[in-house]
């Protein structure tokens, strides 16, 4: 093992020449070096290179999550030729340790690693380098996606096999990644010639390599962000990186009007995303803003309620899933597909829309939740859902007795099985959604009458009705005039049901100190198909803060 005199401190960075599109690369040595306390550390040497798109240098690009575990040290020889112990994220340190252990056939390999190659204390440099990341990753000889060290043994033979395996996988790569547990961006992001090597142990860890120098194919920014929110992938060390990190791989990155600038607060970036949502998605963009646990941060910054907090997983959007894929598959028409119009003040704090005030909430149920339940136990899960259905049936019956004027007898019969699934059915196999139909009542009846919540007789051991149940994490509510609906758990007595002009579904708004806050999209039985909408309807302007 090599040893050298070291000093602890920050790396010394020589400024990059942005006009010459300079980048830094680090060379990972093939053996460990002794740190100041005798630990054997991965050792790297840094150097500047001119990045020429026509003739890029040879390097491997590393993609990984920084994570929140305690940092570890590595030894880096900076551009002043002094060796220093530098703190890096534990996940990066784990990769460098594994790569050094198995580097005999790849001695002193050159990498681009953002945490080391970008001066993280220089916002101007960081903004410029992140803008180059599309080119940096697409021009890399290999792109390694490191998902963790647990259970992973990275041998030189495995490294050699990447190129061979990459020839057999192309357009179906997202299926392989998803099946193997890699949290890819579904079918929206399909890197060319991407390879996943699956290592099975107590926990799965993977390494993925991009063998192509062609640009990565992708989709628009709004689709990428929506999928990240839906799939619980909204994690980043810096909040703005949830947006900046994907600008380089989306098809509209240059046209979406968002510039990478780390001198701006993340709330400014999220506001631009919200405006992009409204411009491209209409009222559906507001459905992404109703999120549990919204709030400020340690700096005292608060997001207006109509701007989605991308740090949180998406709120449950009842009926816009199908229309997220196709504008021709809109399930509901609460405002008869009227035109969505809006305006925003100069500070991007107040959103003005036109709404029809439907009613006010006077009663809410408890939250339908099984947070302590083992989700891998299908029997227990089904039994819990059966309990929900019985609880909902009691709530519905009591509400109808108190407010008998709103629904007739046929409607009451349908409400029992339509409301729990929010009147729609998602076919996961076919990948399409549809409105609930009378045949779906069979699933409701079978589940409700089963001893364990499981059924057989042609419906399978876990019927589609259970899989489409929308009660989880939500509440039921009753309005002053007897409307019954299914809504976000933040809904409270006194909240108002509004139809926002141009929206397919109702929304819950909260009147606070003379202005409104957006709570969530909602489902209200009996008004989802324009029943309240005619030529006499007059929408009024409201301001949402």
């Amino acid at each position: 093992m090599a040893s050298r005199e070291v000093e602890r401190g920050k790396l010394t960075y020589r400024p990059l020449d942005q006009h010459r599109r300079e980048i830094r690369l680090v060379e990972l040595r093939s053996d460990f070096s002794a740190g100041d306390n005798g630990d054997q550390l991965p050792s790297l040497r840094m150097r500047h290179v001119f990045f020429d798109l026509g003739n890029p240098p040879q390097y491997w690009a590393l993609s990984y999550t920084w994570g929140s575990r305690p940092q570890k040290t590595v030894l880096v020889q900076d551009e002043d030729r002094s060796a220093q112990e530098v703190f890096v994220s534990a996940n990066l340190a784990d990769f460098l340790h594994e790569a050094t252990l198995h580097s005999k056939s790849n001695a002193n390999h050159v990498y681009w690693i953002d945490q080391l190659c970008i001066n993280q204390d220089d916002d101007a440099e960081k903004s410029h380098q992140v803008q180059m990341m599309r080119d940096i990753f697409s021009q890399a000889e290999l792109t390694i996606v490191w998902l963790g060290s647990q259970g992973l043994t990275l041998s030189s033979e495995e490294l050699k096999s990447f190129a061979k395996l990459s020839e057999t996988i192309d357009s179906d790569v997202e299926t392989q990644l998803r099946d193997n547990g890699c949290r890819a961006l579904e079918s929206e992001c399909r890197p060319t010639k991407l390879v996943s090597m699956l290592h099975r142990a107590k926990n799965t860890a993977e390494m993925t390599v991009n063998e192509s120098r062609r640009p990565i194919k992708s989709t628009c920014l709004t689709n990428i962000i929506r999928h990240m929110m839906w799939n619980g992938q909204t994690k980043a060390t810096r909040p703005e990186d949830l947006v900046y990190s994907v600008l380089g791989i989306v098809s509209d990155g240059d046209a979406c009007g968002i510039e990478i600038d780390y001198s701006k607060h993340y709330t400014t970036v999220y506001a631009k995303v919200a405006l992009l949502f409204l411009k491209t998605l209409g009222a559906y963009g507001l459905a992404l803003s109703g999120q549990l646990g919204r709030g400020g941060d340690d700096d005292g910054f608060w997001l207006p309620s109509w701007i989605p907090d991308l740090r949180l997983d998406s709120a449950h959007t009842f009926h816009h899933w199908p229309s997220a894929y196709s504008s021709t598959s809109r399930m509901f028409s609460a405002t008869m597909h009227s035109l969505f119009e809006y305006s925003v003040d100069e500070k991007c704090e107040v959103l003005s829309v036109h709404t029809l005030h439907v009613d006010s909430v006077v009663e809410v149920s408890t939250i339908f939740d099984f947070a302590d339940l083992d989700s891998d136990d299908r029997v227990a899960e089904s039994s819990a859902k059966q309990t929900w259905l019985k609880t909902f049936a009691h709530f519905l019956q009591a509400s109808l007795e108190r407010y008998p004027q709103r629904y007739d007898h046929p409607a009451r019969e349908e409400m029992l099985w339509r409301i729990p699934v929010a009147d729609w059915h998602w076919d996961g196999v076919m990948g399409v959604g549809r409105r609930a139909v009378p045949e779906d009542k069979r699933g409701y009846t079978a589940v409700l009458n089963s001893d364990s919540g499981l059924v057989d007789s042609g419906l399978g051991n876990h019927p589609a009705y259970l899989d489409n149940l929308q009660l989880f994490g939500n509440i039921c509510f009753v309005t002053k005039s007897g409307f019954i609906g299914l809504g976000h758990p933040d809904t409270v007595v006194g909240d108002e049901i509004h139809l926002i002009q141009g929206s397919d579904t109702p929304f819950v708004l909260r009147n606070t100190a003379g202005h409104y806050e957006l709570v969530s999209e909602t489902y209200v039985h009996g008004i989802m198909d324009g029943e309240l909408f005619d030529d006499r309807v007059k929408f009024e302007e409201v301001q949402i803060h």
Side-chain angles (χ1 to χ4, degrees):
M1 300 290 180
S3 63
R4 66 188 69 206
E5 186 177 344
V6 300
E7 56 179 316
R8 188 179 298 276
K10 284 189 175 183
L11 285 174
T12 300
Y13 286 100
R14 176 172 63 82
L16 293 172
D17 187 338
Q18 297 183 7
H19 297 291
R20 297 185 71 244
R21 290 172 56 85
E22 273 190 329
I23 64 172
R24 299 184 186 92
L25 297 174
V26 289
E27 181 179 348
L28 181 63
R29 300 183 183 278
S30 59
D31 57 358
F32 294 95
S33 297
D36 55 2
N37 62 355
D39 292 340
Q40 296 300 307
L41 304 176
S43 178
L44 304 99
R45 182 172 66 89
M46 183 175 295
R47 56 188 174 92
H48 279 215
V49 297
F50 169 57
F51 189 81
D52 183 353
L53 281 175
N55 185 29
Q58 289 190 335
Y59 62 93
W60 288 6
L62 180 66
S63 177
Y64 62 102
T65 58
W66 286 34
S68 58
R69 290 187 294 150
Q71 292 183 319
K72 299 180 180 180
T73 56
V74 297
L75 194 64
V76 181
Q77 181 179 334
D78 63 24
E79 295 160 309
D80 284 347
R81 315 300 293 178
S82 59
Q84 301 187 52
E85 283 192 31
V86 177
F87 283 103
V88 298
S89 69
N91 201 28
L92 173 57
D94 289 345
F95 168 78
L96 295 174
H97 185 272
E98 291 287 337
T100 302
L101 281 176
H102 303 280
S103 63
K104 291 183 179 180
S105 61
N106 296 280
N108 296 359
H109 204 89
V110 177
Y111 292 86
W112 184 87
I113 302 172
D114 61 347
Q115 198 171 155
L116 294 172
C117 297
I118 299 176
N119 183 354
Q120 301 296 325
D121 294 327
D122 186 336
D123 284 343
E125 176 182 302
K126 187 157 48 177
S127 300
H128 175 263
Q129 290 287 289
V130 173
Q131 289 177 23
M132 291 179 60
M133 283 178 64
R134 182 193 313 192
D135 295 333
I136 290 173
F137 276 97
S138 65
Q139 297 297 315
E141 182 181 13
L142 293 175
T143 296
I144 299 175
V145 180
W146 172 257
L147 299 181
S149 61
Q150 189 168 7
L152 176 64
T153 300
L154 179 61
S155 67
S156 57
E157 289 74 17
E158 288 171 333
L159 282 171
K160 292 177 181 178
S161 69
F162 284 162
K164 181 178 180 181
L165 286 174
S166 67
E167 297 173 358
T168 66
I169 303 173
D170 194 358
S171 62
D172 290 332
V173 66
E174 76 282 354
T175 301
Q176 167 143 341
L177 291 178
R178 187 163 58 251
D179 290 346
N180 287 348
C182 178
R183 306 186 82 177
L185 296 178
E186 299 294 335
S187 60
E188 298 297 343
C189 183
R190 303 184 180 191
T192 56
K193 290 187 180 290
L194 201 64
V195 181
S196 175
M197 292 200 68
L198 176 64
H199 299 260
R200 298 195 178 277
K202 183 176 181 181
N203 291 319
T204 297
E206 297 168 72
M207 179 169 277
T208 306
V209 176
N210 175 19
E211 177 69 9
S212 174
R213 285 184 179 267
R214 292 176 289 168
I216 295 176
K217 297 181 292 183
S218 188
T219 184
C220 63
L221 180 65
T222 53
N223 279 351
I224 288 287
I225 291 179
R226 280 183 294 157
H227 278 280
M228 290 168 61
M229 295 174 72
W230 285 341
N231 295 321
Q233 298 169 332
T234 54
K235 303 295 185 291
T237 304
R238 291 187 56 152
E240 57 268 48
D241 281 335
L242 292 169
V243 180
Y244 291 163
S245 63
V246 296
L247 281 179
I249 64 172
V250 295
S251 58
D252 60 344
D254 296 330
C256 66
I258 300 177
E259 295 183 356
I260 298 174
D261 185 352
Y262 282 94
S263 67
K264 295 181 178 179
H265 196 267
Y266 76 88
T267 53
T268 302
V269 182
Y270 288 9
K272 290 185 176 182
V273 172
L275 293 176
L276 186 64
F277 278 171
L278 294 177
K279 180 180 178 180
T280 60
L281 303 174
Y284 167 58
L286 294 176
L288 297 172
S289 297
Q291 296 156 333
L292 190 64
R294 290 176 62 91
D297 57 21
D298 295 337
D299 297 327
F301 286 87
W302 286 79
L303 286 169
S305 63
W306 59 273
I307 296 178
D309 190 342
L310 305 183
R311 299 170 299 175
L312 306 175
D313 296 343
S314 174
H316 181 68
T317 55
F318 292 109
H319 308 107
H320 285 286
W321 288 352
S323 58
Y325 297 96
S326 171
S327 59
T328 61
S329 60
R330 297 165 71 172
M331 294 289 169
F332 296 93
S333 55
T335 65
M336 299 300 291
H337 305 312
S338 56
L339 181 64
F340 176 64
E341 297 179 335
Y342 68 95
S343 63
V344 179
D345 70 326
E346 291 184 359
K347 294 182 178 180
C348 211
E349 295 176 348
V350 181
L351 172 70
S352 297
V353 295
H354 292 84
T355 78
L356 173 65
H357 179 205
V358 176
D359 213 345
S360 299
V361 175
V362 296
E363 185 178 351
V364 297
S365 71
T366 57
I367 299 175
F368 295 93
D369 195 359
F370 59 88
D372 298 328
L373 185 66
D374 183 359
S375 60
D376 293 329
D377 188 338
R378 299 291 271 177
V379 175
E381 177 185 341
S382 299
S383 180
K385 291 181 177 180
Q386 182 191 50
T387 301
W388 295 350
L389 288 176
K390 293 179 179 179
T391 302
F392 165 73
H394 289 305
F395 178 87
L396 179 63
Q397 183 61 36
S399 301
L400 291 174
E401 290 176 358
R402 284 192 293 272
Y403 306 94
Q405 74 282 7
R406 174 54 60 188
Y407 300 102
D408 58 22
H409 181 72
R412 295 182 180 201
E413 290 292 321
E414 286 197 337
M415 293 167 72
L416 277 170
W417 57 271
R418 285 191 184 272
I419 291 180
V421 293
D423 202 14
W424 75 285
H425 175 96
W426 176 256
D427 188 330
V429 176
M430 300 299 295
V432 295
R434 61 165 172 78
R435 293 289 289 269
V437 295
E439 286 78 6
D440 295 325
K441 182 180 179 181
R442 292 178 58 238
Y444 166 81
T445 303
V447 171
L448 204 63
N449 295 333
S450 172
D451 290 338
S452 63
L454 298 175
V455 295
D456 45 29
S457 65
L459 287 177
N461 288 332
H462 201 265
Y465 188 87
L466 280 184
D467 288 332
N468 281 287
L469 208 59
Q470 304 300 308
L471 294 174
F472 172 57
N474 293 308
I475 54 94
C476 290
F477 61 83
V478 186
T479 70
K480 186 176 181 179
S481 64
F483 282 116
I484 298 176
L486 187 63
H488 193 279
D490 276 354
T491 305
V492 298
V493 172
D495 286 345
E496 299 177 7
I497 308 299
H498 284 250
L499 292 177
I500 296 178
Q501 187 173 4
S503 173
D504 292 341
T505 58
F507 283 82
V508 177
L509 301 183
R510 184 168 299 160
N511 195 330
T512 305
H515 65 263
Y516 283 99
E517 293 181 351
L518 176 66
V519 177
S520 71
E521 181 199 30
T522 193
Y523 171 86
V524 180
H525 197 79
I527 69 171
M528 304 301 294
D529 295 305
E531 292 90 339
L532 301 182
F533 193 91
D534 58 34
D535 295 336
R536 296 169 294 178
V537 169
K538 292 185 178 180
F539 291 94
E540 296 184 356
E541 182 177 300
V542 302
Q543 294 184 334
I544 302 176
H545 289 233

